[in-house]
Amino acid sequence: MPDSKRITEIFPQPSPSSTSLGFKLVSLDLKKWETRVRFEGRPEFCNPAGVIQGGYLVAMMDDTIGMLSGMKAGKRALPSTVDLHTHFLRPVRVGVVEVVARLRNIGRAMVFAEAELYDSRGKEAARCAASLTLNPVNSPAP
């Protein structure tokens, strides 16, 4: 089965936050632990200056990293972002936004990841480094 089809094994339905951001999987490589996701940079995401507010851009990167970490953890754990450090490189206008994320170091309890965000012209507009904890999923009580 192609990696891009395996996402539904872990995430049968997209989360409401992913849906609101317009999450669309472009590619997923589970050997490299790398993914590319496309988002819709909507007018309602804009600040008074007419560019997409930084919190939405961070949410797009966090959503992409979280999905990839969730694929690594499978059904045994839920990843939770502990720290996400972002550098904003240029303003992002309304339009297609793409995020490329990769897992850099994967441990039993922590994952370290990074991502780059590209604007509709394909120019890098933001980048981040994140650490996530893997919270074990306990079986339901009898």
Side-chain angles (χ1 to χ4, degrees):
M1 174 186 307
D3 289 344
S4 60
K5 299 292 183 196
R6 293 188 55 208
I7 193 170
T8 57
E9 292 175 11
I10 306 300
F11 303 105
Q13 299 248 322
S15 70
S17 62
S18 295
T19 301
S20 71
L21 293 169
F23 182 107
K24 182 174 174 89
L25 183 65
V26 175
S27 66
L28 177 62
D29 185 331
L30 297 179
K31 286 185 180 153
K32 291 182 180 178
W33 288 108
E34 185 172 292
T35 190
R36 181 179 288 268
V37 174
R38 184 171 293 139
F39 294 94
E40 299 171 31
R42 299 183 184 138
E44 57 266 29
F45 297 169
C46 288
N47 62 23
V51 295
I52 297 175
Q53 193 267 345
Y56 285 100
L57 302 176
V58 171
M60 291 172 188
M61 291 186 287
D62 189 41
D63 205 36
T64 304
I65 289 170
M67 178 275 296
L68 191 57
S69 299
M71 293 298 296
K72 177 61 181 166
K75 295 183 180 185
R76 69 174 179 83
L78 295 170
S80 180
T81 304
V82 175
D83 178 67
L84 193 145
H85 183 83
T86 304
H87 291 279
F88 296 101
L89 308 173
R90 70 180 67 234
V92 177
R93 303 201 183 286
V94 170
V96 172
V97 175
E98 286 196 353
V99 175
V100 175
R102 71 202 55 78
L103 303 185
R104 300 307 273 168
N105 190 303
I106 305 162
R108 286 190 324 255
M110 294 288 294
V111 173
F112 297 91
E114 60 188 25
E116 296 88 34
L117 182 141
Y118 299 91
D119 66 14
S120 61
R121 300 171 300 160
K123 295 194 179 255
E124 186 179 7
R127 59 178 38 228
C128 74
S131 55
L132 299 92
T133 184
L134 297 174
N135 304 301
V137 174
N138 299 322
S139 338

